[in-house]
Amino acid sequence: MFLPYGTGLLLVRDPAVLHAAHAADARYLQDLSPVDDLPDFGHLGVELTREFRGLRLWLPLHLHGVRAFERELDEKLDLAAHVHRQLAQDPRLEVPWQPDLTVVLFRLRGTDEDNRRLLAEINSSRRVYLSSTTIDGRFFLRLCVLSFRTHADRVEEALGIIRSAC
């Protein structure tokens, strides 16, 4: 949802299960006492303090609505599919898997060292940043369309940089 890591919420049917898993009674906690009928959030998670992670989710949804996030995600999925189609047409590249989400894996038809050099050259442009992974002992480049600021013009620029670097 284009939000920072650590953002989210957890809905539970039985808070007693969380309490049983996370409650602590260390000596440095002896001065804590319940406040009215509020739950002790320190006993419901791994942290002793209550991080308000839900605000990072609630506020954008409240301001922009669910549909705005749906539109952005649809665009990113379409862009990843476009990247896959474009790279798959290049005979110099292997593009073995359709993207399930917004990550497109590809590699030069060559050695892992060739692909490491390709990644370094692409990233040296400082216009786009690709990462890598190793699958079944083979080095792959990863193009991941994640930012809400990434649109077709940036994807086309990235494709141009990739083609030039090949």
Side-chain angles (χ1 to χ4, degrees):
M1 291 183 62
F2 316 102
L3 300 170
Y5 286 110
T7 300
L9 67 114
L10 173 66
L11 298 176
V12 295
R13 186 170 288 136
D14 184 2
V17 174
L18 290 178
H19 188 273
H22 299 291
D25 61 356
R27 289 185 186 180
Y28 60 87
L29 300 174
Q30 66 190 10
D31 299 320
L32 299 178
S33 57
V35 178
D36 299 325
D37 291 331
L38 293 175
D40 183 346
F41 292 101
H43 290 300
L44 299 178
V46 295
E47 299 167 331
L48 290 175
T49 58
R50 185 175 108 181
E51 179 76 31
F52 194 10
R53 289 185 174 95
L55 178 64
R56 289 182 247 168
L57 180 62
W58 175 83
L59 187 60
L61 285 172
H62 180 73
L63 291 174
H64 304 291
V66 172
R67 185 67 192 121
F69 287 90
E70 289 173 343
R71 282 191 305 269
E72 288 294 322
L73 181 56
D74 284 344
E75 179 192 28
K76 303 321 169 224
L77 293 169
D78 291 345
L79 290 172
H82 174 70
V83 168
H84 179 269
R85 283 190 305 273
Q86 293 298 309
L87 294 179
Q89 292 174 4
D90 190 324
R92 299 171 294 178
L93 299 174
E94 296 177 41
V95 190
W97 302 285
Q98 293 276 347
D100 288 331
L101 294 173
T102 61
V103 177
V104 179
L105 296 175
F106 67 97
R107 60 178 276 125
L108 279 173
R109 296 183 188 278
T111 67
D112 283 353
E113 191 53 41
D114 294 335
N115 283 283
R116 284 186 174 83
R117 279 192 295 273
L118 175 62
L119 179 63
E121 186 168 342
I122 291 167
N123 288 343
S124 73
S125 75
R126 300 184 63 112
R127 297 294 302 156
V128 297
Y129 179 82
L130 304 187
S131 60
S132 65
T133 190
T134 303
I135 298 176
D136 293 331
R138 300 174 70 213
F139 185 88
F140 284 87
L141 286 75
R142 297 174 72 248
L143 186 147
C144 189
V145 184
L146 282 181
S147 175
F148 64 92
R149 294 181 182 100
T150 302
H151 303 289
D153 60 333
R154 296 292 289 148
V155 166
E156 289 303 325
E157 181 179 6
L159 287 168
I161 291 168
I162 292 166
R163 288 179 187 121
S164 295
C166 288

mmCIF file of all heavy atoms in Angstrom, residues 68-94:
data_model
loop_
_atom_site.group_PDB
_atom_site.id
_atom_site.type_symbol
_atom_site.label_atom_id
_atom_site.label_comp_id
_atom_site.label_asym_id
_atom_site.label_seq_id
_atom_site.Cartn_x
_atom_site.Cartn_y
_atom_site.Cartn_z
ATOM 1 N N ALA A 68 -8.167 5.056 -4.214
ATOM 2 C CA ALA A 68 -6.886 5.642 -4.625
ATOM 3 C C ALA A 68 -5.778 4.596 -4.551
ATOM 4 O O ALA A 68 -4.929 4.515 -5.443
ATOM 5 C CB ALA A 68 -6.545 6.837 -3.743
ATOM 6 N N PHE A 69 -5.798 3.770 -3.518
ATOM 7 C CA PHE A 69 -4.793 2.720 -3.387
ATOM 8 C C PHE A 69 -4.999 1.634 -4.436
ATOM 9 O O PHE A 69 -4.035 1.098 -4.979
ATOM 10 C CB PHE A 69 -4.814 2.126 -1.974
ATOM 11 C CG PHE A 69 -4.242 3.056 -0.950
ATOM 12 C CD1 PHE A 69 -5.051 3.954 -0.282
ATOM 13 C CD2 PHE A 69 -2.887 3.048 -0.682
ATOM 14 C CE1 PHE A 69 -4.524 4.823 0.648
ATOM 15 C CE2 PHE A 69 -2.341 3.913 0.252
ATOM 16 C CZ PHE A 69 -3.167 4.813 0.919
ATOM 17 N N GLU A 70 -6.247 1.319 -4.723
ATOM 18 C CA GLU A 70 -6.534 0.331 -5.782
ATOM 19 C C GLU A 70 -6.011 0.813 -7.123
ATOM 20 O O GLU A 70 -5.392 0.043 -7.868
ATOM 21 C CB GLU A 70 -8.042 0.080 -5.875
ATOM 22 C CG GLU A 70 -8.609 -0.681 -4.707
ATOM 23 C CD GLU A 70 -10.130 -0.772 -4.754
ATOM 24 O OE1 GLU A 70 -10.775 0.009 -5.499
ATOM 25 O OE2 GLU A 70 -10.675 -1.640 -4.049
ATOM 26 N N ARG A 71 -6.243 2.078 -7.445
ATOM 27 C CA ARG A 71 -5.763 2.637 -8.726
ATOM 28 C C ARG A 71 -4.238 2.577 -8.814
ATOM 29 O O ARG A 71 -3.677 2.196 -9.837
ATOM 30 C CB ARG A 71 -6.233 4.082 -8.901
ATOM 31 C CG ARG A 71 -7.664 4.224 -9.336
ATOM 32 C CD ARG A 71 -7.989 5.662 -9.750
ATOM 33 N NE ARG A 71 -7.669 6.635 -8.716
ATOM 34 C CZ ARG A 71 -8.522 7.040 -7.771
ATOM 35 N NH1 ARG A 71 -9.755 6.567 -7.730
ATOM 36 N NH2 ARG A 71 -8.146 7.931 -6.873
ATOM 37 N N GLU A 72 -3.563 2.972 -7.741
ATOM 38 C CA GLU A 72 -2.098 2.951 -7.727
ATOM 39 C C GLU A 72 -1.565 1.535 -7.893
ATOM 40 O O GLU A 72 -0.635 1.298 -8.661
ATOM 41 C CB GLU A 72 -1.556 3.571 -6.439
ATOM 42 C CG GLU A 72 -1.704 5.067 -6.369
ATOM 43 C CD GLU A 72 -0.871 5.811 -7.399
ATOM 44 O OE1 GLU A 72 0.278 5.394 -7.677
ATOM 45 O OE2 GLU A 72 -1.356 6.821 -7.925
ATOM 46 N N LEU A 73 -2.135 0.596 -7.175
ATOM 47 C CA LEU A 73 -1.673 -0.786 -7.280
ATOM 48 C C LEU A 73 -1.941 -1.340 -8.674
ATOM 49 O O LEU A 73 -1.070 -2.001 -9.258
ATOM 50 C CB LEU A 73 -2.334 -1.669 -6.221
ATOM 51 C CG LEU A 73 -1.906 -3.140 -6.239
ATOM 52 C CD1 LEU A 73 -0.396 -3.292 -6.101
ATOM 53 C CD2 LEU A 73 -2.629 -3.917 -5.155
ATOM 54 N N ASP A 74 -3.097 -1.065 -9.231
ATOM 55 C CA ASP A 74 -3.393 -1.511 -10.598
ATOM 56 C C ASP A 74 -2.367 -0.957 -11.579
ATOM 57 O O ASP A 74 -1.887 -1.669 -12.464
ATOM 58 C CB ASP A 74 -4.799 -1.075 -11.032
ATOM 59 C CG ASP A 74 -5.895 -1.919 -10.416
ATOM 60 O OD1 ASP A 74 -5.588 -3.018 -9.900
ATOM 61 O OD2 ASP A 74 -7.058 -1.476 -10.451
ATOM 62 N N GLU A 75 -2.024 0.323 -11.418
ATOM 63 C CA GLU A 75 -1.029 0.921 -12.304
ATOM 64 C C GLU A 75 0.311 0.204 -12.166
ATOM 65 O O GLU A 75 0.964 -0.103 -13.171
ATOM 66 C CB GLU A 75 -0.857 2.400 -11.991
ATOM 67 C CG GLU A 75 0.201 3.065 -12.871
ATOM 68 C CD GLU A 75 0.597 4.451 -12.409
ATOM 69 O OE1 GLU A 75 0.512 4.743 -11.195
ATOM 70 O OE2 GLU A 75 1.011 5.238 -13.278
ATOM 71 N N LYS A 76 0.741 -0.071 -10.951
ATOM 72 C CA LYS A 76 2.046 -0.721 -10.740
ATOM 73 C C LYS A 76 2.046 -2.140 -11.300
ATOM 74 O O LYS A 76 3.046 -2.588 -11.885
ATOM 75 C CB LYS A 76 2.429 -0.740 -9.257
ATOM 76 C CG LYS A 76 2.476 0.605 -8.569
ATOM 77 C CD LYS A 76 3.042 1.737 -9.405
ATOM 78 C CE LYS A 76 2.808 3.062 -8.737
ATOM 79 N NZ LYS A 76 2.357 4.110 -9.608
ATOM 80 N N LEU A 77 0.955 -2.860 -11.159
ATOM 81 C CA LEU A 77 0.854 -4.201 -11.733
ATOM 82 C C LEU A 77 0.921 -4.139 -13.256
ATOM 83 O O LEU A 77 1.598 -4.955 -13.894
ATOM 84 C CB LEU A 77 -0.434 -4.891 -11.275
ATOM 85 C CG LEU A 77 -0.500 -5.236 -9.786
ATOM 86 C CD1 LEU A 77 -1.922 -5.656 -9.412
ATOM 87 C CD2 LEU A 77 0.501 -6.308 -9.419
ATOM 88 N N ASP A 78 0.238 -3.165 -13.845
ATOM 89 C CA ASP A 78 0.282 -2.983 -15.303
ATOM 90 C C ASP A 78 1.682 -2.620 -15.772
ATOM 91 O O ASP A 78 2.159 -3.104 -16.800
ATOM 92 C CB ASP A 78 -0.705 -1.900 -15.745
ATOM 93 C CG ASP A 78 -2.161 -2.318 -15.592
ATOM 94 O OD1 ASP A 78 -2.432 -3.526 -15.414
ATOM 95 O OD2 ASP A 78 -3.031 -1.417 -15.633
ATOM 96 N N LEU A 79 2.366 -1.765 -15.014
ATOM 97 C CA LEU A 79 3.731 -1.378 -15.379
ATOM 98 C C LEU A 79 4.678 -2.573 -15.311
ATOM 99 O O LEU A 79 5.532 -2.745 -16.184
ATOM 100 C CB LEU A 79 4.229 -0.241 -14.481
ATOM 101 C CG LEU A 79 3.571 1.117 -14.698
ATOM 102 C CD1 LEU A 79 4.006 2.102 -13.614
ATOM 103 C CD2 LEU A 79 3.874 1.657 -16.085
ATOM 104 N N ALA A 80 4.530 -3.400 -14.297
ATOM 105 C CA ALA A 80 5.382 -4.596 -14.190
ATOM 106 C C ALA A 80 5.120 -5.540 -15.353
ATOM 107 O O ALA A 80 6.063 -6.105 -15.931
ATOM 108 C CB ALA A 80 5.134 -5.300 -12.854
ATOM 109 N N ALA A 81 3.870 -5.720 -15.729
ATOM 110 C CA ALA A 81 3.543 -6.568 -16.880
ATOM 111 C C ALA A 81 4.147 -5.990 -18.157
ATOM 112 O O ALA A 81 4.665 -6.727 -19.005
ATOM 113 C CB ALA A 81 2.026 -6.721 -17.018
ATOM 114 N N HIS A 82 4.118 -4.678 -18.300
ATOM 115 C CA HIS A 82 4.714 -4.008 -19.460
ATOM 116 C C HIS A 82 6.226 -4.248 -19.503
ATOM 117 O O HIS A 82 6.781 -4.568 -20.559
ATOM 118 C CB HIS A 82 4.404 -2.510 -19.409
ATOM 119 C CG HIS A 82 5.086 -1.706 -20.457
ATOM 120 N ND1 HIS A 82 4.750 -1.777 -21.796
ATOM 121 C CD2 HIS A 82 6.118 -0.823 -20.368
ATOM 122 C CE1 HIS A 82 5.538 -0.973 -22.482
ATOM 123 N NE2 HIS A 82 6.371 -0.382 -21.640
ATOM 124 N N VAL A 83 6.888 -4.083 -18.371
ATOM 125 C CA VAL A 83 8.330 -4.336 -18.299
ATOM 126 C C VAL A 83 8.630 -5.769 -18.708
ATOM 127 O O VAL A 83 9.545 -6.021 -19.501
ATOM 128 C CB VAL A 83 8.870 -4.041 -16.883
ATOM 129 C CG1 VAL A 83 10.289 -4.586 -16.710
ATOM 130 C CG2 VAL A 83 8.828 -2.550 -16.593
ATOM 131 N N HIS A 84 7.863 -6.700 -18.194
ATOM 132 C CA HIS A 84 8.079 -8.109 -18.531
ATOM 133 C C HIS A 84 7.956 -8.336 -20.034
ATOM 134 O O HIS A 84 8.812 -8.969 -20.655
ATOM 135 C CB HIS A 84 7.085 -8.999 -17.774
ATOM 136 C CG HIS A 84 7.255 -10.437 -18.092
ATOM 137 N ND1 HIS A 84 6.568 -11.051 -19.115
ATOM 138 C CD2 HIS A 84 8.057 -11.380 -17.547
ATOM 139 C CE1 HIS A 84 6.935 -12.318 -19.174
ATOM 140 N NE2 HIS A 84 7.833 -12.543 -18.242
ATOM 141 N N ARG A 85 6.902 -7.792 -20.645
ATOM 142 C CA ARG A 85 6.707 -7.963 -22.089
ATOM 143 C C ARG A 85 7.866 -7.359 -22.876
ATOM 144 O O ARG A 85 8.374 -7.970 -23.813
ATOM 145 C CB ARG A 85 5.392 -7.310 -22.535
ATOM 146 C CG ARG A 85 4.156 -8.116 -22.208
ATOM 147 C CD ARG A 85 2.914 -7.537 -22.879
ATOM 148 N NE ARG A 85 2.690 -6.134 -22.576
ATOM 149 C CZ ARG A 85 2.020 -5.686 -21.509
ATOM 150 N NH1 ARG A 85 1.524 -6.541 -20.645
ATOM 151 N NH2 ARG A 85 1.855 -4.386 -21.317
ATOM 152 N N GLN A 86 8.283 -6.161 -22.490
ATOM 153 C CA GLN A 86 9.347 -5.476 -23.216
ATOM 154 C C GLN A 86 10.677 -6.215 -23.098
ATOM 155 O O GLN A 86 11.375 -6.410 -24.095
ATOM 156 C CB GLN A 86 9.500 -4.040 -22.707
ATOM 157 C CG GLN A 86 8.316 -3.152 -23.025
ATOM 158 C CD GLN A 86 8.120 -2.999 -24.523
ATOM 159 O OE1 GLN A 86 9.044 -2.665 -25.251
ATOM 160 N NE2 GLN A 86 6.915 -3.284 -24.993
ATOM 161 N N LEU A 87 11.023 -6.626 -21.891
ATOM 162 C CA LEU A 87 12.298 -7.317 -21.704
ATOM 163 C C LEU A 87 12.283 -8.702 -22.348
ATOM 164 O O LEU A 87 13.301 -9.155 -22.880
ATOM 165 C CB LEU A 87 12.638 -7.427 -20.212
ATOM 166 C CG LEU A 87 12.909 -6.105 -19.485
ATOM 167 C CD1 LEU A 87 13.204 -6.370 -18.012
ATOM 168 C CD2 LEU A 87 14.036 -5.323 -20.135
ATOM 169 N N ALA A 88 11.139 -9.357 -22.333
ATOM 170 C CA ALA A 88 11.038 -10.698 -22.934
ATOM 171 C C ALA A 88 11.236 -10.654 -24.445
ATOM 172 O O ALA A 88 11.607 -11.659 -25.050
ATOM 173 C CB ALA A 88 9.693 -11.331 -22.584
ATOM 174 N N GLN A 89 11.007 -9.507 -25.067
ATOM 175 C CA GLN A 89 11.195 -9.370 -26.517
ATOM 176 C C GLN A 89 12.656 -9.186 -26.909
ATOM 177 O O GLN A 89 12.995 -9.283 -28.080
ATOM 178 C CB GLN A 89 10.383 -8.186 -27.039
ATOM 179 C CG GLN A 89 8.899 -8.397 -26.970
ATOM 180 C CD GLN A 89 8.113 -7.152 -27.355
ATOM 181 O OE1 GLN A 89 8.675 -6.138 -27.755
ATOM 182 N NE2 GLN A 89 6.797 -7.236 -27.224
ATOM 183 N N ASP A 90 13.518 -8.940 -25.934
ATOM 184 C CA ASP A 90 14.934 -8.717 -26.219
ATOM 185 C C ASP A 90 15.662 -10.062 -26.219
ATOM 186 O O ASP A 90 15.734 -10.719 -25.178
ATOM 187 C CB ASP A 90 15.544 -7.785 -25.166
ATOM 188 C CG ASP A 90 16.932 -7.311 -25.528
ATOM 189 O OD1 ASP A 90 17.708 -8.088 -26.132
ATOM 190 O OD2 ASP A 90 17.257 -6.163 -25.192
ATOM 191 N N PRO A 91 16.197 -10.496 -27.359
ATOM 192 C CA PRO A 91 16.832 -11.819 -27.429
ATOM 193 C C PRO A 91 18.097 -11.935 -26.579
ATOM 194 O O PRO A 91 18.547 -13.047 -26.302
ATOM 195 C CB PRO A 91 17.154 -11.984 -28.915
ATOM 196 C CG PRO A 91 17.161 -10.616 -29.479
ATOM 197 C CD PRO A 91 16.233 -9.785 -28.637
ATOM 198 N N ARG A 92 18.636 -10.829 -26.118
ATOM 199 C CA ARG A 92 19.829 -10.874 -25.270
ATOM 200 C C ARG A 92 19.496 -11.254 -23.827
ATOM 201 O O ARG A 92 20.389 -11.570 -23.047
ATOM 202 C CB ARG A 92 20.530 -9.511 -25.266
ATOM 203 C CG ARG A 92 20.997 -9.061 -26.652
ATOM 204 C CD ARG A 92 21.479 -7.636 -26.635
ATOM 205 N NE ARG A 92 20.356 -6.730 -26.336
ATOM 206 C CZ ARG A 92 20.449 -5.413 -26.214
ATOM 207 N NH1 ARG A 92 21.629 -4.821 -26.347
ATOM 208 N NH2 ARG A 92 19.393 -4.669 -25.967
ATOM 209 N N LEU A 93 18.205 -11.218 -23.502
ATOM 210 C CA LEU A 93 17.791 -11.399 -22.111
ATOM 211 C C LEU A 93 16.977 -12.662 -21.900
ATOM 212 O O LEU A 93 16.218 -13.079 -22.770
ATOM 213 C CB LEU A 93 16.957 -10.192 -21.660
ATOM 214 C CG LEU A 93 17.644 -8.836 -21.688
ATOM 215 C CD1 LEU A 93 16.642 -7.738 -21.365
ATOM 216 C CD2 LEU A 93 18.820 -8.803 -20.732
ATOM 217 N N GLU A 94 17.118 -13.224 -20.713
ATOM 218 C CA GLU A 94 16.223 -14.281 -20.224
ATOM 219 C C GLU A 94 15.249 -13.606 -19.261
ATOM 220 O O GLU A 94 15.674 -12.890 -18.357
ATOM 221 C CB GLU A 94 16.998 -15.331 -19.434
ATOM 222 C CG GLU A 94 18.018 -16.124 -20.196
ATOM 223 C CD GLU A 94 18.764 -17.071 -19.277
ATOM 224 O OE1 GLU A 94 18.121 -17.692 -18.391
ATOM 225 O OE2 GLU A 94 19.991 -17.159 -19.410
#
